[in-house]
Amino acid sequence: MTIIIGGAWPYANGSLHLGHIAALLPGDILARYYRQKGEKVLYVSGSDCNGTPISIRATQENTTTQAIANRYHDEFTQCFQELGFTYDLYTRTDAKHHHESVQTIFLQLLTNNYLYKKKIEQAYCDTDKQFLPDRFVEGTCPNCGAKARGDQCDNCSEILDPLDLIDKRCKICGNEPVIRETEHFYFTFSQFQGRLESYLAEAKLEKRWRDNALALTERYLSEGVPDRAVTRDLPNGVNVPVPGFEGKKIYVWIEAVAGYLTASIEWAQQHDVAIEDLWNEDTISYYIHGKDNIPFHTVIWPAVLMGIGAKALPTHIVSNEYLTLEKRKLSTSQNWAVWVPYILSRYDADSIRYFLTMNAPENRDTDFSWREFIYSHNGELLGAYGNFVNRTLKFLEKSFNSQVPQAEVDGAVRKKTIHLFSEAAIDIEAGHFKQALEAIFEYVRAANRYFDEQQPWLQVNEDVEAGNKTLATCVYIIANLSQLLQPFLPFSAGKIRDVLGIQEVMWHEQVELPTDIREVTPLFDRLDIGLIEEEYQKLVNDSQ
């Protein structure tokens, strides 16, 4: 059995912000956890280098789509690496292997009679002399009245056709587009209505999807799934592999989601593994994304997989709500965002991972504020976790010449630790990462209380045996924290294992304790609270 984990593919048209990381971080937590358990994991993603957003950026900067895609793909790769993301393959949609696999999928759908040609009317800009990709058409959503793009309304999540928009405008020049006839391939979504309804019913029964995914998918299916165009007159992307359709591209909303499979195929070829060994009826798959991507993962991608006869339909949908910033909606156009390259240049990656897990928008929108971020670092990471590790190990370094007393560990603490591995595992597998991390940090707080109540600094003089037991128990707790926190805070967990000389990374009780410890350095440094105002002012100034 393979655990396939797919992280949503960020558009390579601008830097990542914290909203992206909040949505994608669960993928790395899952990958690390399942590997610790000894499962076979394939964790894939990549940069979306095709489609309209990159063309828009290239036009704005008077450069090529390739130059824009390269710049941001390299930046994304660096950011994910610094954040500790452990993708097995992080690729890109303009890669040759992706284009070839997407064309194969397209031809399979054609062979299986799920594609048909249809002449349609499409928005055309007389000023720019081109058919307009959906995102190049802007106007008013006919469903809710909000400002919307031609492919989807971010306000009500309705999937749109550009021609449905009221007061249509070309995004490039601002003029009203005309309507012209063109021919495209359509995908017979309507044929999958019944199978998708059964698929949703099963997902509801097994409770493997987030509530927002269940509710939104139910709404889409109750409205009826219409056939949709799967090709477009686009400036860049995957060519339609059919004579007579030269210059047309396979539409991004089936091409990009296919990346989970195309990346898996590429990884399988690189490692001489049959793709059927990875993608089959026993595969457990997690799809990690924000709520704006729900229909693409619960309706469109499953229908495409059904259309090509693939057995591994998405089993778990981990769809986060939105992260707001200082009580305001993130806005890249207004520069109201905390950009990932910036925060990584100034703060610990584990601090970012901790905050975005503890404050994850799992069931509702949550807020990032500099005040909460700085205080959570100082109070929880440094004050509770870092403090317990440091005070225990420094005491051993100073009073025991870095030797660990080889005494019996407190039975109640062992029982609690074993239970915590089981409890956290259930939460992680169900996608409740915040709950799992909260339980681990309650264990950290209990460890601090244990240290205070036992008073080993007195015990070592008054009751040596009791002191040895206390310190052995505290080292035992620290050793187990290095395993329990590995999926969440891998950098500090790794530092602990280095100090304790622990080689193995595993998801079960760490029984064996070291006889001595290496040089102890603090896991975290205190952050000056003056940074709160400094960072907030920078955010305000940058957005003006």
Side-chain angles (χ1 to χ4, degrees):
M1 179 186 73
T2 308
I3 315 285
I4 300 284
I5 300 166
W9 297 50
Y11 274 123
N13 71 319
S15 292
L16 297 167
H17 55 64
L18 284 185
H20 294 120
I21 303 306
L24 295 176
L25 182 55
D28 187 62
I29 294 169
L30 282 161
R32 286 175 175 277
Y33 160 76
Y34 275 115
R35 290 192 198 108
Q36 269 181 262
K37 273 190 77 185
E39 301 285 2
K40 189 163 68 173
V41 172
L42 181 58
Y43 178 28
V44 295
S45 185
S47 305
D48 190 345
C49 299
N50 296 329
T52 310
I54 289 144
S55 300
I56 293 172
R57 187 73 183 240
T59 305
Q60 287 168 345
E61 295 191 14
N62 197 23
T63 185
T64 64
T65 54
Q66 185 72 36
I68 296 292
N70 287 347
R71 183 202 308 169
Y72 289 109
H73 174 73
D74 291 347
E75 187 182 290
F76 293 176
T77 305
Q78 181 69 25
C79 287
F80 287 131
Q81 196 177 327
E82 288 180 29
L83 281 163
F85 279 46
T86 53
Y87 292 118
D88 291 294
L89 181 62
Y90 186 80
T91 182
R92 47 196 291 170
T93 59
D94 56 359
K96 184 169 179 277
H97 75 82
H98 176 75
H99 280 230
E100 289 171 351
S101 291
V102 167
Q103 288 173 330
T104 300
I105 290 168
F106 187 90
L107 292 172
Q108 277 178 287
L109 292 172
L110 190 60
T111 303
N112 295 344
N113 297 316
Y114 292 123
L115 298 180
Y116 61 90
K117 295 176 190 175
K118 182 181 174 184
K119 284 197 166 80
I120 60 161
E121 291 183 326
Q122 199 176 331
Y124 183 89
C125 182
D126 274 331
T127 309
D128 296 299
K129 305 293 180 208
Q130 68 176 77
F131 280 104
L132 294 175
D134 292 358
R135 280 174 172 252
F136 273 46
V137 185
E138 293 182 332
T140 303
C141 174
N143 186 51
C144 71
K147 188 180 174 186
R149 301 184 310 266
D151 60 343
Q152 185 179 14
C153 175
D154 284 338
N155 186 56
C156 69
S157 297
E158 188 79 5
I159 296 177
L160 298 171
D161 186 293
L163 300 194
D164 297 336
L165 290 176
I166 301 158
D167 298 327
K168 291 179 279 295
R169 286 283 176 268
C170 167
K171 187 177 175 72
I172 306 168
C173 65
N175 294 329
E176 186 178 354
V178 296
I179 308 303
R180 279 198 186 177
E181 190 176 76
T182 183
E183 188 174 38
H184 282 294
F185 276 102
Y186 267 64
F187 181 48
T188 59
F189 269 126
S190 51
Q191 285 194 38
F192 296 92
Q193 178 83 31
R195 287 172 71 182
L196 288 167
E197 284 171 356
S198 302
Y199 171 61
L200 174 64
E202 193 180 319
K204 284 176 86 169
L205 198 65
E206 294 180 351
K207 297 180 178 171
R208 288 174 161 185
W209 294 10
R210 291 258 169 97
D211 289 345
N212 56 6
L214 290 170
L216 204 54
T217 307
E218 195 161 29
R219 193 188 97 192
Y220 282 126
L221 294 181
S222 69
E223 291 169 0
V225 187
D227 292 356
R228 286 198 171 272
V230 291
T231 60
R232 275 287 188 265
D233 296 284
L234 290 166
N236 67 319
V238 180
N239 291 322
V240 178
V242 175
F245 278 75
E246 292 81 6
K248 295 180 189 284
K249 310 294 181 189
I250 297 172
Y251 195 23
V252 69
W253 58 250
I254 71 157
E255 175 258 308
V257 287
Y260 302 115
L261 179 53
T262 71
S264 300
I265 292 167
E266 176 67 5
W267 185 91
Q269 286 174 349
Q270 289 173 0
H271 294 83
D272 202 22
V273 174
I275 189 64
E276 295 76 22
D277 291 345
L278 302 172
W279 285 63
N280 53 53
E281 57 271 16
D282 297 323
T283 301
I284 293 172
S285 56
Y286 286 83
Y287 287 82
I288 319 296
H289 50 86
K291 71 175 176 184
D292 52 335
N293 276 325
I294 288 170
F296 303 100
H297 292 87
T298 64
V299 178
I300 289 168
W301 181 228
V304 170
L305 287 169
M306 290 170 186
I308 62 172
K311 304 244 175 19
L313 296 182
T315 54
H316 293 72
I317 299 293
V318 181
S319 41
N320 271 351
E321 296 288 314
Y322 292 137
L323 184 76
T324 58
L325 174 58
E326 300 286 0
K327 304 286 192 244
R328 269 174 61 186
K329 189 177 177 182
L330 277 159
S331 170
T332 55
S333 60
Q334 293 169 19
N335 206 20
W336 189 256
V338 175
W339 303 104
V340 177
Y342 173 77
I343 196 169
L344 276 169
S345 72
R346 290 171 64 88
Y347 299 95
D348 192 299
D350 273 358
S351 300
I352 301 165
R353 291 176 68 111
Y354 176 81
F355 187 89
L356 293 179
T357 304
M358 277 298 202
N359 300 278
E362 289 186 358
N363 307 305
R364 58 183 175 79
D365 290 357
T366 57
D367 190 60
F368 177 93
S369 76
W370 281 109
R371 180 184 177 82
E372 292 303 317
F373 176 72
I374 301 292
Y375 274 112
S376 88
H377 171 93
N378 285 345
E380 294 153 37
L381 279 184
L382 175 70
Y385 166 42
N387 180 47
F388 175 70
V389 173
N390 203 52
R391 72 200 295 209
T392 301
L393 300 183
K394 273 292 182 192
F395 187 75
L396 287 173
E397 195 175 62
K398 187 180 170 187
S399 303
F400 281 75
N401 196 27
S402 296
Q403 300 301 299
V404 178
Q406 299 301 298
E408 188 187 353
V409 172
D410 185 293
V413 171
R414 276 198 71 184
K415 190 176 175 185
K416 190 173 183 177
T417 306
I418 294 163
H419 176 69
L420 182 55
F421 275 102
S422 304
E423 184 189 358
I426 292 165
D427 285 335
I428 292 169
E429 290 182 24
H432 305 313
F433 310 103
K434 178 182 177 179
Q435 216 166 294
L437 191 54
E438 279 175 342
I440 296 167
F441 265 73
E442 181 46 51
Y443 176 75
V444 169
R445 287 186 284 274
N448 273 307
R449 289 194 298 272
Y450 175 81
F451 190 95
D452 291 339
E453 286 160 7
Q454 296 300 317
Q455 299 180 306
W457 59 92
L458 296 179
Q459 286 179 326
V460 292
N461 296 317
E462 296 167 5
D463 186 345
V464 174
E465 199 176 313
N468 286 349
K469 183 176 181 178
T470 297
L471 290 166
T473 300
C474 288
V475 172
Y476 165 87
I477 292 169
I478 293 167
N480 280 285
L481 281 173
S482 80
Q483 306 292 0
L484 286 159
L485 286 172
Q486 173 68 10
F488 303 96
L489 311 175
F491 297 100
S492 56
K495 283 182 193 172
I496 292 172
R497 288 195 304 277
D498 287 345
V499 174
L500 299 185
I502 295 170
Q503 302 298 320
E504 194 182 353
V505 179
M506 58 202 178
W507 191 262
H508 57 75
E509 181 197 15
Q510 174 83 42
V511 181
E512 198 178 324
L513 299 183
T515 53
D516 54 72
I517 58 171
R518 294 165 192 174
E519 187 187 352
V520 182
T521 52
L523 293 182
F524 303 99
D525 295 321
R526 182 169 295 280
L527 294 175
D528 185 339
I529 58 168
L531 286 165
I532 298 167
E533 186 58 26
E534 183 188 316
E535 294 288 10
Y536 182 73
Q537 280 309 319
K538 182 183 185 302
L539 182 63
V540 171
N541 294 339
D542 287 351
S543 67
Q544 287 171 350

